[in-house]
Amino acid sequence: MFTSTGLDEALEGADFVFAAVRVGGLRGRVCDERVALDLNVLGQETTGPGGIAYGLRTIPVMLDIAHRVKALAPDAYVINFTNPAGMITEAMQGVLGDRVLGICDTPSGLGMRVAAALGLDPDRIRLDYVGLNHLGWMRRILHDGVDVLPGLLADDDLLGTLEEGVVFGREWLRDLGLIPNEYLYYYYFNREAVRATLDAPQTRGEFLLKQQEAFYERIAAASGGAAMEMWRETVASRSASYMAEMKGARTGEALDDHSGVDPAEEGYARVALNVMAAISRDEPASMILNVRNGTTVTALPPDAVVEVPVTVDAAASTRSPRPARPAPGRTDAAGQGRRTADRRRGRDRFADRGRQGLRPASPGRLGADRLAAARRLHRPDPRGRRRLLP
């Protein structure tokens, strides 16, 4: 737990709190990965046993922070980066209500990459996405009100330029009729994911641990300009190697979708700044965040945290969305996360939620053709692979 007065001084009177905490450090992540892999089980840090272990270590610390925020900055919004983002956001909402927003850059990043592939203005694109953090599906990509996803799925060349086209395969995505979050590879192709991770020279956690230690050694002797360049190189290397073993398992080599991009202008930083600007300036913006479910996904409890498009501004009320059918996949993962959170925080729910800054946007409905594709997921795969793992 945090005991220094420095944390309390930083929190007092804050309007926004950015929370990015790794309890146990990267060595804890390495342990989570290896313990699971030794049993031939996926050790990924937000999916499977690795995510559960990470959550069990992290929820008590984040609850301590939430109570400090409630006491010292009751009007603040907490923008949570801490993984597992869905579990942590839900646990903190038990203390702070809807003032806790979980962010992830993979859904919005997919939208940006699709816009670039199609040569479209990303500011004119609306994303219809639904799921849990790292376990969601892009159902429509609207450009000036027209869904461009069917055209993208039909184009071999364009689809092959996307990470998802490489990770899942073009025909798989066409059969699904949706674009899944890349982390769903760990479910759809679980055996391949475990095998690729075991065959890799090191786990993701081991790679990051070595990279981080080397960076700190180099930075200690660097001057200001050199230090910045070292940081950019480190972030670029980290991004280029992201899910490399999974992409390599499908293609024989990893893709780099981050070349030439300033790390200060992408990912979590961009999403967090957009949220802060929308609330503080009262400039409504649509973005995909981890928020309280309400009636958005009828298969999940109202207080579960889901990852969906929302309208963010400084309004003091919420607009109820139309109920949405869950996308094909494992909604029971939410229950697993909820049970872990409940054991740590108890079942008390705080009524005082304060000023809201979110109006959930309707994710729309699946068409008959997409529902048919979703139902086919529950049939045996002709390639001899189970599509949904128990």
Side-chain angles (χ1 to χ4, degrees), residues 269-286:
R270 172 174 47 80
V271 178
L273 290 173
N274 287 345
V275 170
M276 187 168 65
I279 295 174
S280 62
R281 299 173 184 172
D282 197 13
E283 298 174 350
S286 178

Side-chain angles (χ1 to χ4, degrees), residues 21-354:
V21 178
R22 181 174 288 281
V23 179
L26 284 172
R27 295 188 185 280
R29 174 174 181 172
V30 170
C31 181
D32 293 340
E33 292 170 340
R34 283 300 177 190
V35 167
L37 288 170
D38 286 346
L39 299 172
N40 288 318
V41 177
L42 183 70
Q44 208 279 328
E45 74 160 345
T46 60
T47 306
I52 297 296
Y54 192 14
L56 288 171
R57 280 201 309 274
T58 305
I59 286 174
V61 175
M62 300 308 292
L63 285 177
D64 179 63
I65 293 175
H67 284 292
R68 289 170 183 262
V69 171
K70 186 179 180 68
L72 299 170
D75 294 327
Y77 284 92
V78 176
I79 301 177
N80 177 51
F81 304 161
T82 304
N83 277 325
M87 292 169 62
I88 301 304
T89 300
E90 184 174 334
M92 296 186 77
Q93 283 188 352
V95 178
L96 298 170
D98 291 332
R99 288 184 171 277
V100 184
L101 316 175
I103 71 170
C104 182
D105 62 336
T106 52
S108 58
L110 170 59
M112 298 284 286
R113 288 185 279 112
V114 168
L118 295 173
L120 301 176
D121 180 357
D123 292 333
R124 292 164 61 186
I125 281 182
R126 291 182 57 204
L127 304 176
D128 178 2
Y129 184 95
V130 64
L132 308 176
N133 179 242
H134 287 176
L135 298 171
W137 295 261
M138 191 73 71
R139 304 187 301 179
R140 293 186 300 166
I141 302 171
L142 302 175
H143 181 257
D144 292 342
V146 177
D147 187 4
V148 299
L149 179 57
L152 174 64
L153 292 173
D155 191 314
D156 267 358
D157 293 335
L158 287 178
L159 201 54
T161 64
L162 296 178
E163 287 184 3
E164 292 74 13
V166 174
V167 170
F168 295 100
R170 298 176 181 89
E171 291 305 317
W172 177 274
L173 295 183
R174 290 194 185 103
D175 186 46
L176 188 61
L178 312 163
I179 298 184
N181 185 295
E182 56 200 353
Y183 279 83
L184 277 161
Y185 180 91
Y186 295 120
Y187 281 108
Y188 287 144
F189 298 91
N190 181 266
R191 286 175 294 193
E192 291 89 338
V194 172
R195 185 73 264 159
T197 306
L198 287 169
D199 290 343
Q202 57 190 350
T203 67
R204 177 67 170 169
E206 289 165 346
F207 165 78
L208 294 175
L209 178 60
K210 292 177 182 177
Q211 185 197 53
Q212 180 173 287
E213 290 176 343
F215 170 74
Y216 285 135
E217 288 178 4
R218 294 174 60 203
I219 209 73
S223 59
M228 177 60 71
E229 186 57 32
M230 288 179 189
W231 176 74
R232 293 183 188 279
E233 290 175 359
T234 301
V235 173
S237 174
R238 179 190 183 105
S239 298
S241 62
Y242 175 68
M243 291 189 78
E245 69 277 15
M246 303 306 133
K247 298 165 192 173
R250 301 288 296 192
T251 66
E253 61 181 74
L255 291 180
D256 178 5
D257 278 355
H258 301 268
S259 57
V261 179
D262 187 335
E265 298 176 0
E266 67 167 353
Y268 291 100
R270 172 174 47 80
V271 178
L273 290 173
N274 287 345
V275 170
M276 187 168 65
I279 295 174
S280 62
R281 299 173 184 172
D282 197 13
E283 298 174 350
S286 178
M287 56 192 74
I288 298 171
L289 300 175
N290 288 272
V291 295
R292 192 181 299 270
N293 177 42
T295 59
T296 304
V297 180
T298 56
L300 296 176
D303 60 348
V305 165
V306 295
E307 194 166 75
V308 293
V310 294
T311 299
V312 185
D313 59 19
S317 63
T318 62
R319 183 178 64 223
S320 298
R322 292 178 305 190
R325 300 173 187 264
R330 296 187 55 84
T331 55
D332 64 329
Q336 190 178 48
R338 285 172 49 76
R339 287 191 294 272
T340 301
D342 283 343
R343 279 196 294 268
R344 286 293 186 177
R345 72 171 186 257
R347 299 186 179 275
D348 292 337
R349 305 294 182 185
F350 289 80
D352 180 18
R353 298 179 183 177

